[in-house]
Amino acid sequence: MKNFIFVSPNFPDSYRYFCKELKKDGFNVLGIGDCPYDELNFELKECLTEYYKVSDLENYDEVYRAVAFFIHKYGRIDFLESNNEYWLERDAALRTAFNITSGYGLSRVKAVKYKSKMKKYYEKAGIKAARHYLVKSLAGCKKFIEKVDYPVIVKPDNGVGANATYKIKNENELVDFMSGKPQGYIMEEYIDGIVNSYDAIVDGSGNPVFETGLCETASIMDIVNNGENSLYYYLPEIPDDIRAAGRAVLKAFGVKNRFVHFEFFRLTRDQYIGKKGEVVALEVNMRPAGSPSTDMMDYANSTDVYKIWADTLAYGSTSVGCGRKYFCGFVSRRDGKTFAHTEEEIKAKYALNLKSAERVPKVLSAAMADFSFIANFDTKKEMQEFFNYVTE
């Protein structure tokens, strides 16, 4: 029997479905987390062969001892994953320490975590990426901006989502930003574009066994910094150029046995980096798109990505296919804003389309607002009318 260590299997809540499908495929599913066992979802408990509670997942020594305990009790570990951006480096450190070779070790993880280090892989894939400068001094920033002009984007070189990401539009804002003595930041030329993603489950030979993609209607940076409502959607069919770009990046990074979420810009005007409509690189994420995107992939494709992923790790392939395709839209409203339509009115009007209507977990609300609706539609026009109605 194969052994799978799942780090933090309780967050987000939907990750219990990964564990459920792993168990169905014959894995010992061994959980490590800081949530008390009694507080775990009942369905998750049913999936876990054993759960090791640590006082703090940030404490490497505790998590290390948990892995050592599982190895002593169950033998060799075949996979160790969290499927969570925040823990990717921790996962890699543990794989290196215990010679678990099914995923990235410490020697390779920086290439997929540091935005500056991703650039050479985009070049290898033949995809353009924004010019950049690793922030060291005000003079260095000014010299870079002389080349690319304002505005510029600054963000942590090793960061998650749009946290601590800012648009700098003039020298006063630059001086103000640098006065905080920022550490570990990358500065990039500003790109006018709409974010499109390539989401895929990849087998042990580097071949995608499932592909889909989303489109964002607004910048996550603006949603976070301006407290805006959140809207995005999964497409019924992934555009050919996004598919080609995604596959090229898979090959450049040598991705195997992973669920990935690659982000690209589709340019909305001609600019230095390319022509309107062209696809250019944004960043790679060697894990699934954040919750609730995995559920939306299922809704948009009438499938089960949790089973596809587990089957791929267990058998190298899957018999799960896709059914009817939809536009699957996510829209979430900010608390404190006044809206024309109540939650009850939305649920009544879109009863046949809604897949969920619920509060966003607090830890995700900065980027995803506070109360969300997810719904399926046959056409983009119908979906846009839904977005307009909810946010009116």
Side-chain angles (χ1 to χ4, degrees), residues 15 21 71-72 100 106 120 126 156 194 199 243 284 288 309 314 367:
Y15 276 19
E21 296 303 330
I71 291 174
H72 176 73
I100 302 167
L106 278 177
K120 71 175 183 179
I194 297 296
D199 298 75
R243 187 192 306 273
V284 300
W309 175 81

Side-chain angles (χ1 to χ4, degrees), residues 20-131:
K20 179 179 179 180
E21 296 303 330
L22 288 169
K23 181 183 179 182
K24 285 182 180 179
D25 284 343
F27 282 95
N28 275 326
V29 186
L30 309 168
I32 301 175
D34 53 16
C35 177
Y37 181 78
D38 290 343
E39 295 178 15
L40 296 178
N41 179 283
F42 174 78
E43 191 172 15
L44 175 59
K45 290 180 184 178
E46 291 289 295
C47 303
L48 298 176
T49 303
E50 190 165 352
Y51 180 71
Y52 192 113
K53 183 193 176 301
V54 295
S55 63
D56 186 356
L57 278 171
E58 297 280 3
N59 187 322
Y60 177 78
D61 289 341
E62 274 197 274
V63 180
Y64 180 96
R65 287 195 295 271
V67 176
F69 170 80
F70 283 145
I71 291 174
H72 176 73
K73 186 169 181 178
Y74 296 97
R76 182 174 66 88
I77 303 302
D78 297 280
F79 294 93
L80 185 151
E81 298 286 353
S82 64
N83 278 348
N84 190 309
E85 183 76 23
Y86 190 80
W87 300 116
L88 286 185
E89 287 181 274
R90 171 62 53 80
D91 295 347
L94 291 166
R95 290 192 204 101
T96 298
F98 292 99
N99 194 33
I100 302 167
T101 59
S102 55
Y104 289 111
L106 278 177
S107 63
R108 294 191 63 203
V109 73
K110 288 188 176 181
V112 302
K113 281 288 292 173
Y114 285 77
K115 296 171 179 63
S116 59
K117 297 183 184 300
M118 297 174 189
K119 305 285 185 179
K120 71 175 183 179
Y121 291 90
Y122 291 136
E123 183 178 351
K124 183 178 178 181
I127 300 170
K128 298 175 184 177
R131 292 170 289 177

